Amino acid sequence: MAQSKAEKKFTLYYFPTSYSSQKVLLALFEKELTFTPRLVSLFSGQHNQPWYVKLNPEGAHVPVLKDEVADMIINEPENIMEYVDKSSENGETLFPDESSELGKQVRQLCKRLDMVEMDIITYGIIYHPHLSEAGCQISGAEQRSMRENFANRLSYLTELAAAHPALRDSYLTKSQIAAQKFDTITDEAKVKGHLEALKRLMKDIEQQLKDLKEKNGDVADVLWLFGPMFTAADIHLTVLLNRLTLLGMDKYYFPPDQCPHIDSYFSQVKKRPTYIRLEKEISTLRLTLLWENLKAWSPFLAGAAGIGVVAGGAYLVYQKNK
């Protein structure tokens, strides 16, 4: 039986700019569940610290959800989203009954969207910026941190494996996965292969939205992937469209003249309160990162005047890059 948000307490270990974290954040927002936020910085390597690896020894970097009442750890975004959906009767049902035709269709599309290796696409664009149609919108400071962290990840994980024998297998597994991904993202042809596969998926989604509009357009003003209900598949697509826009790939994957239904869909998403809340959280983190970088660039600034200059600079850079 689903529990109300008052009966269950969650702690979310996450990073707001993480693709997987954004899916879980949207699910929590949609289900109106409160949670204790624990920021795990991917830029400073907190996701590789022993305390966190113990929480998530084999899963992706972030997020991890802890149910404090049941003393249970849930990892992998799809598992967390489904757990969250079952934990609250608030909001819409994200995963309809899997025995129903709708439930099967939602899960099938979720699986297909989940197969998009967005980390390879994201880092692939950062390593091969000419592949972005409009230019990557991720700030220069973030891109530098991401490139440096990925390049140093293999040696760092190997060192951690030697320093923490009890977690050796976890660190070596993460190192092997990182090595495979590094080989892929630095190979332009392989990155292009992922981009083309995503292009085919977006074409299918455009057709699905078109068919839905033609069938239901007269009876519903707002339609999501499967009608008036906002499901887990919509969360996947929302985060995907947001990331493609950030990478400057929106004009390639869903230009308004070729994909009017996806373009209209994303315009609807941007008005959704949960999306606005997610964007606010991401923007707050970006401002914090810019602040830290500006402080590093301006060691000669001191006192209130210096802080004011750094704060003003952070605000201007934030406005330019948001």
Side-chain angles (χ1 to χ4, degrees), residues 3 34 42 46 85 128 196 215 231 245 247 257 296 311 318:
Q3 293 176 303
T34 57
L42 301 184
Q46 289 181 343
D85 190 35
H128 312 283
E196 288 304 314
K215 183 179 180 180
T231 69
T245 301
L247 293 173
D257 59 328
Y318 164 69

Side-chain angles (χ1 to χ4, degrees), residues 166-181:
L167 298 172
R168 181 177 181 275
D169 290 345
S170 294
Y171 280 124
L172 291 180
T173 297
K174 290 177 183 291
S175 178
Q176 291 170 358
I177 294 172
Q180 292 168 357
K181 288 188 176 180

Side-chain angles (χ1 to χ4, degrees), residues 1-298:
M1 180 178 177
Q3 293 176 303
S4 71
K5 61 183 178 181
E7 297 173 310
K8 189 175 290 290
K9 180 173 176 60
F10 293 118
T11 298
L12 181 67
Y13 298 84
Y14 73 112
F15 196 56
T17 60
S18 152
Y19 186 70
S20 295
S21 291
Q22 290 172 11
K23 295 178 186 179
V24 171
L25 282 170
L26 274 179
L28 286 163
F29 296 162
E30 288 288 340
K31 300 303 292 187
E32 301 173 17
L33 280 165
T34 57
F35 61 92
T36 301
R38 287 288 303 274
L39 205 65
V40 180
S41 175
L42 301 184
F43 292 161
S44 64
Q46 289 181 343
H47 58 294
N48 287 322
Q49 292 300 308
W51 69 268
Y52 184 74
V53 174
K54 289 176 183 177
L55 280 177
N56 195 22
E58 298 178 1
H61 297 320
V62 287
V64 165
L65 186 75
K66 183 176 182 181
D67 183 333
E68 301 288 356
V69 175
D71 193 24
M72 181 184 298
I73 297 292
I74 307 97
N75 54 33
E76 299 302 329
E78 198 74 10
N79 295 338
I80 298 174
M81 289 166 63
E82 192 148 10
Y83 189 85
V84 163
D85 190 35
K86 293 177 180 177
S87 298
S88 173
E89 296 175 352
N90 299 327
E92 297 184 81
T93 300
L94 301 178
F95 292 89
D97 188 342
E98 59 185 321
S99 65
S100 68
E101 186 60 30
L102 175 60
K104 292 175 183 176
Q105 291 175 354
V106 168
R107 283 170 173 77
Q108 184 178 20
L109 186 53
C110 281
K111 184 176 181 179
R112 195 174 175 196
L113 286 163
D114 196 43
M115 289 175 66
V116 175
E117 296 195 60
M118 188 48 68
D119 53 347
I120 289 176
I121 291 175
T122 300
Y123 280 98
I125 293 297
I126 290 173
Y127 274 83
H128 312 283
H130 58 280
L131 295 179
S132 174
E133 293 283 309
C136 183
Q137 302 302 302
I138 299 175
S139 72
E142 286 180 84
Q143 289 191 51
R144 280 193 298 275
S145 293
M146 292 171 75
R147 281 195 298 268
E148 290 169 4
N149 287 343
F150 210 107
N152 296 329
R153 190 178 298 175
L154 300 182
S155 59
Y156 181 53
L157 288 170
T158 302
E159 291 172 5
L160 287 170
H164 303 280
L167 298 172
R168 181 177 181 275
D169 290 345
S170 294
Y171 280 124
L172 291 180
T173 297
K174 290 177 183 291
S175 178
Q176 291 170 358
I177 294 172
Q180 292 168 357
K181 288 188 176 180
F182 189 76
D183 287 343
T184 300
I185 65 175
T186 53
D187 186 324
E188 184 175 331
K190 290 181 180 178
V191 174
K192 285 182 177 179
H194 282 271
L195 295 176
E196 288 304 314
L198 180 55
K199 185 75 170 179
R200 293 190 292 272
L201 172 60
M202 297 300 285
K203 182 179 179 181
D204 291 345
I205 289 175
E206 171 66 18
Q207 187 62 51
Q208 177 171 330
L209 290 171
K210 179 183 178 182
D211 293 344
L212 187 70
K213 183 68 174 178
E214 290 176 351
K215 183 179 180 180
N216 301 283
D218 295 335
V219 296
D221 293 330
V222 177
L223 291 172
W224 304 110
L225 282 167
F226 293 97
M229 178 186 293
F230 192 85
T231 69
D234 292 289
I235 288 179
H236 279 282
L237 183 57
T238 293
V239 175
L240 174 60
L241 296 178
N242 182 65
R243 177 57 60 90
L244 290 175
T245 301
L246 186 65
L247 293 173
M249 300 294 285
D250 49 324
K251 297 298 186 293
Y252 176 72
Y253 282 110
F254 52 102
D257 59 328
Q258 297 178 32
C259 299
H261 296 89
I262 293 180
D263 183 66
S264 176
Y265 175 96
F266 196 33
S267 294
Q268 284 182 179
V269 164
K270 291 176 181 177
K271 299 174 185 177
R272 199 168 177 88
T274 52
Y275 179 85
I276 294 171
R277 185 177 172 186
L278 176 66
E279 281 290 277
K280 183 178 180 181
E281 177 131 5
I282 295 170
S283 296
T284 299
L285 175 66
R286 288 205 179 111
L287 182 56
T288 300
L289 292 173
L290 290 167
W291 167 272
E292 293 301 323
N293 275 280
L294 283 170
K295 284 196 296 184
W297 296 337
S298 308

